[in-house]
Amino acid sequence: MNLKRVGNQTVVFAKPPVILSSYSVVGPKEGQGPLGKTFDKVWKDDLNGEKSWEVAESKMLQEAMNGAINQASVPKEQIDFMLAGDLLNQIISSNFAARQMALPFIGLYGACSTMALGIAVGSMLIDGGFAQKVLVGVSSHHDTAERQYRLPTEQGAQRAMSAQWTVTGAGSVLLGSDGAGPRVTSATIGRVIDFAVKDVNNMGAAMAPAVADTILNHFHDRQLRPVDYNLIASGDLGAVGLALACELLKQSGMDMGTNFTDCGVMIYDESQDTHSGASGCGCSSVVLAGDILQRIKAGELKRVMLVGSGALHSPTSALQGESIPGIGHAVVIEG
């Protein structure tokens, strides 16, 4: 099964925007994982004193975005746009957070690819001269996602081994037209790819073709190779989807080498019993805002590509027997 090289999907920024700051907030399970020390704040429980998981998620997103603003010591009134998204119907976590943030708001929905999409759109706004500073924030919550997409957690249903665990977390970055920090040098906007996967317990298989397609077209557009990057991280295919994406790319003539991994594989370890790994908007956002950006700033990583992956289905479409379309958006960040 070969993917198609289309070309002209990549935007190379003439004046690469700067990531001025980042901030991550996670739940207790994420804090107990191998990346626990890289997060700015770890909640003691998934409600954090709120009346519902949905309210908690919106508050978590606000915490992350305010944290990024404070880290950069930028007055709030200097921010031109707020870009945010989440997994819930009508992106209510982001909408309600925007109600409190009181910034010009652009809501985005790319499922789990929303962080990469937000950085890409924010960078376009800055590079195009339409903004000087753009705040990007993304969230997900294990219990809100389970309630919407699958079964109530109280029911204790058995999960398939291919299933992924939705991350309780929110990550935010503040982009600027100038300043010190890693730079967003290019973005590759993905196509919707559907390989007729219908298993809602195997999101990795549904998203892998779209991620592979975006990676393939990024390298075709830029005339580069995987070895030119210190890290290529999808977010979030999990173990099943990562293996499938590698195989699809190999069949298309691209060997990804040893620098290709997945945020959903990185955030938990085997002892946490998440089966195929992690998923959710919050997964790639907190891994980027924490571990990846810290390693770039430390000089350990020079050039990184984050490929956000999204399963573009809904509970209604799944119940009606529709297949699950996938999307992959990539951004390149350089130290």
Side-chain angles (χ1 to χ4, degrees):
M1 185 179 294
N2 290 321
L3 299 167
K4 182 181 179 182
R5 291 177 173 84
V6 177
N8 301 320
Q9 291 178 223
T10 302
V11 177
V12 179
F13 300 115
K15 297 180 179 179
V18 180
I19 299 178
L20 298 173
S21 64
S22 65
Y23 200 87
S24 57
V25 184
V26 299
K29 189 178 186 75
E30 293 69 27
Q32 293 163 5
L35 302 183
K37 292 182 179 180
T38 69
F39 304 127
D40 294 290
K41 187 172 184 180
V42 179
W43 279 5
K44 293 181 180 179
D45 62 74
D46 290 336
L47 274 174
N48 199 42
E50 303 300 336
K51 66 179 182 179
S52 72
W53 294 317
E54 287 75 15
V55 172
E57 181 179 341
S58 187
K59 292 292 181 66
M60 178 177 273
L61 179 56
Q62 291 175 54
E63 269 194 70
M65 291 189 294
N66 281 317
I69 294 171
N70 293 335
Q71 289 274 25
S73 300
V74 170
K76 195 174 178 181
E77 54 270 19
Q78 289 186 9
I79 297 173
D80 298 294
F81 299 105
M82 166 186 159
L83 278 59
D86 57 88
L87 291 176
L88 300 187
N89 291 335
Q90 289 77 51
I91 56 171
I92 57 169
S93 299
S94 303
N95 290 340
F96 292 172
R99 177 177 61 185
Q100 300 302 119
M101 297 295 291
L103 290 167
F105 172 55
I106 299 172
L108 300 172
Y109 186 81
C112 299
S113 71
T114 305
M115 188 61 169
L117 176 62
I119 293 173
V121 174
S123 297
M124 291 176 189
L125 287 169
I126 291 173
D127 189 55
F130 300 103
Q132 298 296 310
K133 291 181 175 61
V134 175
L135 181 66
V136 181
V138 171
S139 69
S140 63
H141 193 294
H142 175 74
D143 296 299
T144 67
E146 289 300 307
R147 174 145 57 194
Q148 176 171 293
Y149 287 100
R150 285 171 284 275
L151 298 168
T153 54
E154 298 92 335
Q155 188 168 324
Q158 185 169 345
R159 300 168 60 246
M161 291 306 294
S162 60
Q164 295 165 253
W165 187 278
T166 304
V167 163
T168 298
S172 180
V173 297
L174 181 61
L175 304 174
S177 57
D178 52 41
R183 294 184 175 271
V184 183
T185 55
S186 68
T188 302
I189 303 301
R191 303 183 299 149
V192 175
I193 306 292
D194 191 338
F195 275 11
V197 174
K198 293 187 176 182
D199 185 359
V200 295
N201 293 304
N202 193 355
M203 293 291 97
M207 297 184 290
V211 167
D213 183 79
T214 297
I215 289 173
L216 191 70
N217 281 288
H218 172 84
F219 286 124
H220 179 252
D221 290 347
R222 298 288 288 127
Q223 294 296 296
L224 295 171
R225 301 170 299 162
V227 72
D228 296 318
Y229 291 74
N230 302 115
L231 177 69
I232 300 168
S234 53
D236 36 31
L237 297 176
V240 172
L242 178 62
L244 180 56
C246 286
E247 181 60 29
L248 287 170
L249 286 162
K250 185 177 180 180
Q251 289 177 13
S252 298
M254 181 163 291
D255 183 358
M256 294 300 291
T258 59
N259 295 335
F260 185 30
T261 187
D262 181 74
C263 296
V265 173
M266 296 167 66
I267 197 168
Y268 299 128
D269 61 35
E270 291 184 4
S271 69
Q272 293 180 285
D273 191 28
T274 58
H275 295 0
S276 186
S279 67
C281 294
C283 178
S284 62
S285 71
V286 299
V287 173
L288 173 67
D291 177 71
I292 292 176
L293 285 176
Q294 288 171 16
R295 289 163 68 190
I296 291 174
K297 292 175 182 178
E300 180 183 341
L301 302 173
K302 299 294 185 183
R303 179 188 282 165
V304 171
M305 178 162 58
L306 175 71
V307 192
S309 56
L312 303 178
H313 73 301
S314 76
T316 301
S317 67
L319 288 172
Q320 291 178 348
E322 292 284 348
S323 56
I324 304 170
I327 189 74
H329 299 298
V331 288
V332 175
I333 302 169
E334 300 187 36

